[in-house]
Amino acid sequence: MSFANTAIINDVTFHPCVRFRPWESNQILSFVPPDGQFKLMSYRVQKLKKTPIYVKPQLTSDSGNCRVSVMVGIRNDPGKPIDSITVQFQLPPLIVSADLTTNYGTVDILADKTCLWTIGQIPKDKAPALSGNLRLEEGLAQLHALPTFQVKFGIMGVAISGLQNDKLDVKNTPNAPYKGFRAQTQAGKYEVRS
């Protein structure tokens, strides 16, 4: 198997069935597949131009309260459903109570003061929004340390990295096999600072 644009690939890891020398010399994946399902390779792309979704957090605090508003939407439609979307952030230790609601999905505050907003798929008719109020400890007027929002999502059938399969040769098989390439995009470390 060879790819049209290997220059975008960084931090590659291979399944043990991959022969390393053909990759090292010509960027060709040569392997004997093991039985069953397996992950042939994983890689990272350092400078992804645009993520397919956006997350816009807004926090304002005064008089012992912090108002939170977070919107999530599709920035670049990859042509396939974006699913398994979650937004997570750590509530600062100075927060006494939190009252958060969402117009889509579910929001949970876990025991370690982590707020987990599970969206799933973004509906076509509205952008998911989370809003609410955080109550600060007595004597604090405003929140000084703002949280970082961690976002996760997945897209089956699309490689937003831009990696393209160039050629796939299958040898030593009695029948002509189906040749196919299946991609899956999964957010690694996608953080939005407020």
Side-chain angles (χ1 to χ4, degrees):
M1 179 185 305
S2 62
F3 300 100
N5 50 349
T6 56
I8 65 168
I9 299 174
N10 288 313
D11 196 18
V12 182
T13 57
F14 297 111
H15 187 275
C17 71
V18 174
R19 296 181 183 112
F20 190 66
R21 285 191 186 184
W23 176 261
E24 194 174 55
S25 60
N26 299 315
Q27 272 67 52
I28 294 174
L29 279 177
S30 176
F31 60 97
V32 176
D35 291 337
Q37 190 175 19
F38 66 100
K39 184 189 291 189
L40 183 62
M41 70 181 270
S42 61
Y43 61 93
R44 293 177 192 245
V45 176
Q46 293 274 337
K47 295 179 182 175
L48 188 63
K49 301 214 181 339
K50 288 188 178 180
T51 56
I53 63 173
Y54 66 83
V55 177
K56 292 183 179 176
Q58 290 183 330
L59 287 92
T60 55
S61 67
D62 60 5
S63 305
N65 286 313
C66 180
R67 285 172 295 291
V68 178
S69 175
V70 183
M71 289 192 64
V72 177
I74 296 175
R75 176 184 289 143
N76 294 328
D77 191 351
K80 300 273 185 169
I82 304 169
D83 56 15
S84 305
I85 300 171
T86 61
V87 178
Q88 178 177 311
F89 63 97
Q90 187 73 37
L91 294 173
L94 307 171
I95 301 296
V96 176
S97 66
D99 180 26
L100 300 171
T101 59
T102 179
N103 69 346
Y104 192 81
T106 59
V107 61
D108 296 307
I109 299 175
L110 307 176
D112 64 346
K113 284 192 166 183
T114 298
C115 178
L116 178 63
W117 180 19
T118 305
I119 299 170
Q121 280 189 8
I122 296 175
K124 295 192 184 296
D125 58 339
K126 62 182 170 183
L130 177 136
S131 60
N133 191 41
L134 307 176
R135 184 84 185 130
L136 303 176
E137 279 182 359
E138 194 68 37
L140 289 174
Q142 61 188 69
L143 190 63
H144 296 289
L146 300 175
T148 299
F149 294 79
Q150 287 128 3
V151 185
K152 294 185 179 178
F153 62 87
I155 310 169
M156 284 299 294
V158 173
I160 62 169
S161 64
L163 184 66
Q164 297 172 352
N165 187 300
D166 183 38
K167 189 167 122 181
L168 176 65
D169 290 329
V170 181
K171 298 177 181 176
N172 301 329
T173 58
N175 302 325
Y178 168 77
K179 295 180 185 181
F181 181 74
R182 186 173 77 180
Q184 176 185 2
T185 295
Q186 188 173 352
K189 189 173 184 180
Y190 176 24
E191 293 183 342
V192 178
R193 300 185 193 272
S194 52

